[in-house]
């Protein structure tokens, strides 16, 4: 096999016959099956007893598994070759089929809600034990549901309301271009390209890029503010109509968490912001600055070695890191390479970024990344394989309905995998500079994900508070609220250029319709996994089956119960503090390299 073949995935395993005609047939068959399912059950679920409900749920899971492969095939083929006309046509067909399947299944949650309103105790029937938590989540949402007619009006109005505002924000950002002088030459760059200079080694260039981008974003503040004002005001309207207890309630339902837990998490962050500020001051000293500018926060260190890794080296490192954690997991990771479930070749027309998709019926996963051999590519590989570890464990133990992972838990395997590769790399580096650069990357990432992202939650809450007080959210007021939230987190540890008050304008997470407070699961996951890693360091081998059980449980239990099973009480600040303590430990190791 040639080197480039090894770095391309083999999608043929996903389907019975690797033939486009067959795949199109199967896509059509999936729609027909969904429509027949609807004919069998529509209008009846409200009257089902426990056994009938069990049969219906099992049937739905069987159909999901039966047609899963062709959809993965079609979408992955397109991501691998987005300029290929055949791939484009097939992905179009898969998208259309997937929409029809979803439409045909739209009655299920509504009728389940109806059933659980009439008969809430059916959830506790022993016959339905396997689906207990799946049904509990629906039962929890029931009190906030509106009538079917009202829900339909909301969907129809949202299309031209908050969804249109959200699309305008995304479309406008995607079509902006910025002028930047690089090496004496003026370049015009779209948003997606100019941001690569944010982490450029040249400090002056980094500062200028921030000035140019945020100055121009600020020029359009009337548009961004209008979109954000409409989306946030609409949300508050829905809070009242649906009788959600607070603007955050919707996110608690979606993420399967509760207020007590998220409050404990954010109190811990607030109490420990000084730890992050001190790290930023330390980084400033190391770079030789009095204070970091905002353009320096994620900057590389001056003496970062530009070590390269071959595909083989990276594979060996990552598989070894997982094998040392657990042999079975290590063998699965090896299988991901051997069965060619990873597309890592760099080529034109391939989707950028990286992801891992679960292949439930094959009890495996597929990964896409573009591997250039730099250290961050090795980290990305370990991260995505962590998702694969989750998939291998979860699909062996759970039906698809119980593998609908909360955003808070979804990054558990992946961040843990990053820590395993961190440990592996630290154990084998030869120079102090290499060690320092790895630890700086780890601390920068943790700081950004735990603290910068937490700032966004304070900011979002401030937006709702302002609207409730009758204030008009224009660009200046929104910027003022952003700066207040930011300064509460960073104190005086960073110098900000004035243009940075427009930071909120580009962040699509603030404009996501019907999914508010999108950001806190990142903070949750980061601290949760660091806390677990600390436990791993304390308990050693004894901890391994605990993590495997947690991942294997999929969504069959709430994040709170999953944590309780390995001895964590996530409603307590002491638990989240363990995550911060691990961050402190990395900072200490970093300081020791100076
Ligand atoms: Zn991930």
């Amino acid at each position: 096999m040639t080197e480039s073949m090894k770095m391309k995935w083999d999608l043929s395993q996903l389907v019975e016959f690797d033939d486009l005609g067959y795949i199109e047939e199967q896509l059509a068959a999936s729609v027909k099956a969904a429509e027949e399912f609807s004919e069998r059950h529509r209008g009846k679920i409200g009257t089902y007893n426990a056994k009938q409900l069990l049969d219906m749920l099992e049937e739905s899971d069987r159909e999901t598994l039966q047609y899963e492969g062709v959809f993965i095939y079609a979408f992955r083929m397109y991501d691998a070759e987005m300029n290929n006309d055949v791939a484009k046509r097939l992905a179009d067909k898969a998208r259309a089929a997937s929409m029809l399947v979803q439409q045909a299944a739209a009655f299920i949650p509504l009728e389940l809600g109806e059933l659980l309103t009439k008969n809430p105790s059916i959830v506790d029937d022993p016959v339905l034990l396997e689906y207990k938590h799946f049904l509990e989540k629906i039962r929890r949402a029931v009190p906030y549901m509106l009538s079917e007619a009202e829900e339909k009006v909301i969907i129809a109005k949202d299309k031209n309301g908050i969804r249109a505002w959200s699309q305008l924000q995304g479309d406008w950002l995607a079509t902006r271009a910025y002028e930047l002088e690089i090496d004496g030459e003026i370049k015009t760059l779209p948003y997606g390209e100019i941001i690569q200079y944010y982490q450029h080694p040249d400090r002056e260039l980094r500062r200028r890029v921030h000035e140019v981008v945020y100055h121009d974003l600020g020029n359009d503040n009337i548009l961004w503010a209008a979109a954000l004002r409409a989306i946030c005001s609409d949300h508050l309207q829905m809070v009242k109509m649906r009788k959600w207890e607070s603007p955050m309630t919707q996110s608690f339902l979606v993420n399967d968490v509760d207020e007590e837990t998220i409050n404990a998490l954010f109190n811990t962050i607030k109490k420990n912001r000084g730890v992050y500020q001190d790290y930023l001051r330390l980084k400033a000293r190391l770079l030789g600055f009095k204070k970091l500018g905002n353009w320096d926060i994620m900057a590389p260190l001056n003496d970062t070695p530009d070590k390269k890794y071959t595909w083989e080296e990276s594979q060996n490192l990552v598989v070894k890191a997982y094998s040392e954690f657990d042999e079975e997991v290590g063998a699965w990771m090896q299988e991901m390479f051997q069965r060619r479930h990873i597309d890592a070749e760099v080529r034109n027309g391939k989707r950028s970024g990286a992801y891992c998709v679960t292949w439930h019926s094959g009890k495996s996963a597929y990964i896409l990344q573009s591997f250039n051999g730099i250290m961050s590519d090795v980290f990305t590989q370990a991260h995505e394989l962590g998702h694969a570890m989750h998939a291998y464990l979860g699909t062996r133990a759970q039906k698809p309905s119980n593998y609908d992972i909360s955003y808070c838990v979804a990054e558990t395997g992946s961040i843990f995998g990053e820590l395993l590769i961190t440990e592996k790399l630290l154990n084998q580096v030869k120079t102090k500079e290499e060690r320092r650069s790895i630890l700086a990357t780890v601390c920068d990432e943790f700081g950004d994900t735990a603290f910068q992202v937490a700032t966004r939650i304070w900011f979002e809450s401030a937006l709702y508070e302002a609207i409730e007080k009758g204030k008009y959210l224009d660009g200046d007021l929104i910027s003022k609220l952003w700066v207040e939230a930011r300064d509460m987190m960073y104190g005086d540890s960073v110098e900000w250029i004035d243009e940075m008050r427009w930071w909120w304008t580009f962040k699509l997470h603030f404009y996501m319709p019907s999914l508010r407070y999108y950001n806190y699961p990142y903070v949750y996951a980061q601290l949760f996994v660091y806390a677990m890693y600390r436990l791993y360091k304390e308990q050693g081998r004894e901890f391994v089956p605990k993590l495997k059980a947690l991942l294997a449980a999929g969504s069959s239990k709430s994040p709170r119960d999953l944590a309780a099973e390995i001895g964590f009480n996530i409603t307590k600040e002491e638990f989240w503090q363990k995550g911060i303590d691990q961050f402190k430990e990395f900072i200490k190791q970093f300081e020791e390299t100076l």
Side-chain angles (χ1 to χ4, degrees), residues 367-420:
I367 287 173
L368 178 135
Q369 75 167 131
S370 291
F371 186 86
N372 287 299
I374 55 175
M375 192 176 76
S376 74
D377 291 335
V378 181
F379 271 92
T380 301
Q381 188 169 84
H383 178 99
E384 298 308 333
L385 281 167
H387 285 300
M389 159 170 74
H390 205 156
Y392 269 83
L393 286 158
T395 57
R396 274 162 177 72
Q398 306 299 337
K399 298 211 171 83
S401 300
N402 282 334
Y403 196 75
D404 180 17
I405 314 286
S406 152
Y407 288 117
C408 290
V409 179
E411 298 296 330
T412 304
S414 56
I415 300 175
F416 199 84
E418 283 183 34
L419 288 170
L420 292 178

Side-chain angles (χ1 to χ4, degrees), residues 270-427:
K270 195 169 180 184
K271 278 184 192 155
N272 287 282
R273 60 204 151 140
V275 176
Y276 183 42
Q277 293 171 7
D278 284 346
Y279 169 69
L280 294 171
R281 290 186 190 104
L282 177 68
K283 182 166 173 173
R285 276 206 305 281
L286 182 65
L287 287 167
F289 309 146
K290 249 178 82 188
K291 201 187 247 196
L292 288 188
N294 65 271
W295 56 97
D296 299 320
I297 295 174
M298 298 299 283
L301 301 182
N302 297 330
D303 51 9
T304 299
D306 54 352
K307 180 165 168 48
K308 286 272 203 172
Y309 299 82
T310 68
W311 176 243
E312 249 73 38
E313 281 168 346
S314 177
Q315 171 180 348
N316 287 338
L317 272 170
V318 174
V319 171
K320 243 189 222 137
Y322 278 99
S323 301
E324 283 164 12
F325 171 70
D326 179 70
E327 262 178 47
E328 185 182 37
V329 170
W332 287 331
M333 300 300 103
Q334 183 69 23
E335 184 187 281
M336 286 291 291
F337 289 93
Q338 273 164 356
R339 292 180 69 191
R340 289 171 51 221
H341 282 199
I342 306 173
D343 197 281
E345 190 189 43
V346 181
R347 60 176 177 270
N348 274 336
K350 175 172 167 173
R351 184 175 294 285
S352 60
Y355 65 70
C356 173
V357 56
T358 298
W359 178 27
H360 207 118
S361 53
K363 301 192 190 322
S364 179
Y366 275 85
I367 287 173
L368 178 135
Q369 75 167 131
S370 291
F371 186 86
N372 287 299
I374 55 175
M375 192 176 76
S376 74
D377 291 335
V378 181
F379 271 92
T380 301
Q381 188 169 84
H383 178 99
E384 298 308 333
L385 281 167
H387 285 300
M389 159 170 74
H390 205 156
Y392 269 83
L393 286 158
T395 57
R396 274 162 177 72
Q398 306 299 337
K399 298 211 171 83
S401 300
N402 282 334
Y403 196 75
D404 180 17
I405 314 286
S406 152
Y407 288 117
C408 290
V409 179
E411 298 296 330
T412 304
S414 56
I415 300 175
F416 199 84
E418 283 183 34
L419 288 170
L420 292 178
I421 195 71
T422 300
E423 193 176 287
K424 187 88 212 136
L425 288 169
L426 288 176
N427 282 340

